[in-house]
Amino acid sequence: MEHKAPIIHLFGLGFNVTNMITVLAACLIVFLVVFFCTRKLAIKPIGAQNFIEWIVDFVRTIISGPISRKEGEKFQLLGFTLLLFVFVSNMMGLPLMLTIGGYQAWKSPTADPIVCLSLALMVVLLTHFFGVQEQGFKNYFLNSYIKPVSFLLPIKILEEFTNTLTLALRLYGNVYAGEILLGLIASFGQSHGILTWIIGIPLEMVWQGFSIFIGSIQAFVFTTLTMVYMAHKVQAEE
């Protein structure tokens, strides 16, 4: 089940070629979906515009929970982009997992821990950036780490690391496990000819559907938690 990833080395650093290809592909897919759905905007939406507006409304609902409406308007584009990118990334390895010459050439980018950790780290750093931008460094530090009681400072600092890890590993674990099980079912279906195909094909279809459901839920959870963390940073303690 495990395949090596093609690595290129530049300036003493190793870069996973598969991750770079799949992340760029996910970005391109998101861009093309949004581009083609918004080419002919109308006051009364029809067709593809309805789909995009439904996603925008869904993101607004996610944001409205943890963040006030006034503050939340600033993060709608971030939430929209995250939701689409994570969803597309979770789906990419479901219809196709490609290996060439023993190297894995295609999979879900979120089935790699480095991609998930990078995404989680980016999100956490953005919460700090917007927190300082909204409140100023002094008020941000006081509201995030000192209030309501200062002796919780070490725990709140530790929480920054645990938030990053849990945000990343939750996403990675669910997507990676789904792809591993799809691969195991496919291997089983090819193991003993027609008999295992009869069993394997329905199992593969069922697990594909379940993986789509799990991937959708994980995109929702990742976006929701991002907005929860953002709310903790940009809104002062009462």
Side-chain angles (χ1 to χ4, degrees):
M1 294 302 301
E2 290 292 333
H3 300 282
K4 295 182 291 183
I7 304 294
I8 59 173
H9 295 275
L10 294 173
F11 310 110
L13 299 174
F15 295 88
N16 187 313
V17 177
T18 302
N19 285 348
M20 291 191 292
I21 291 172
T22 53
V23 167
L24 286 173
C27 294
L28 181 61
I29 291 169
V30 171
F31 172 78
L32 290 175
V33 168
V34 175
F35 176 76
F36 284 110
C37 289
T38 57
R39 281 189 306 167
K40 299 179 180 179
L41 294 177
I43 296 176
K44 185 177 181 180
I46 57 172
Q49 186 180 339
N50 273 324
F51 170 69
I52 288 296
E53 293 201 7
W54 175 80
I55 297 176
V56 171
D57 288 337
F58 183 65
V59 171
R60 284 175 179 164
T61 303
I62 294 173
I63 296 173
S64 64
I67 308 179
S68 65
R69 182 174 181 179
K70 181 181 178 182
E71 293 288 343
E73 290 177 355
K74 302 173 185 177
F75 306 110
Q76 287 179 12
L77 183 58
L78 173 63
F80 177 83
T81 306
L82 270 179
L83 183 70
L84 280 181
F85 176 79
V86 176
F87 174 78
V88 169
S89 296
N90 292 350
M91 299 297 116
M92 286 172 60
L94 297 184
L96 174 67
M97 285 183 283
L98 179 65
T99 57
I100 300 175
Y103 290 95
Q104 191 164 33
W106 186 267
K107 63 174 184 176
S108 295
T110 44
D112 188 283
I114 300 301
V115 173
C116 293
L117 282 168
S118 300
L119 193 58
L121 181 61
M122 179 199 72
V123 163
V124 171
L125 290 176
L126 279 175
T127 65
H128 293 299
F129 172 79
F130 285 115
V132 173
Q133 186 181 66
E134 291 295 316
Q135 303 182 60
F137 180 79
K138 181 180 178 181
N139 289 332
Y140 162 74
F141 182 78
L142 290 174
N143 288 316
S144 296
Y145 298 103
I146 303 302
K147 294 180 180 180
V149 286
S150 59
F151 67 80
L152 291 178
L153 175 62
I155 295 175
K156 290 192 173 184
I157 293 174
L158 179 63
E159 190 179 51
E160 300 295 340
F161 296 96
T162 58
N163 284 345
T164 305
L165 285 174
T166 55
L167 190 64
L169 296 180
R170 181 187 296 107
L171 177 62
Y172 163 68
N174 281 278
V175 178
Y176 179 71
E179 291 196 359
I180 287 295
L181 284 170
L182 283 173
L184 288 172
I185 294 170
S187 297
F188 167 75
Q190 297 173 10
S191 60
H192 294 90
I194 188 67
L195 178 62
T196 48
W197 269 111
I198 292 173
I199 301 172
I201 289 176
L203 281 176
E204 188 83 356
M205 293 173 64
V206 169
W207 196 257
Q208 284 272 6
F210 183 68
S211 295
I212 292 172
F213 172 73
I214 292 297
S216 304
I217 292 296
Q218 288 307 310
F220 167 75
V221 169
F222 192 94
T223 307
T224 301
L225 289 177
T226 296
M227 294 307 153
V228 170
Y229 297 158
M230 190 70 74
H232 289 165
K233 300 302 183 184
V234 300
Q235 296 181 153
E237 293 282 351
E238 297 294 338

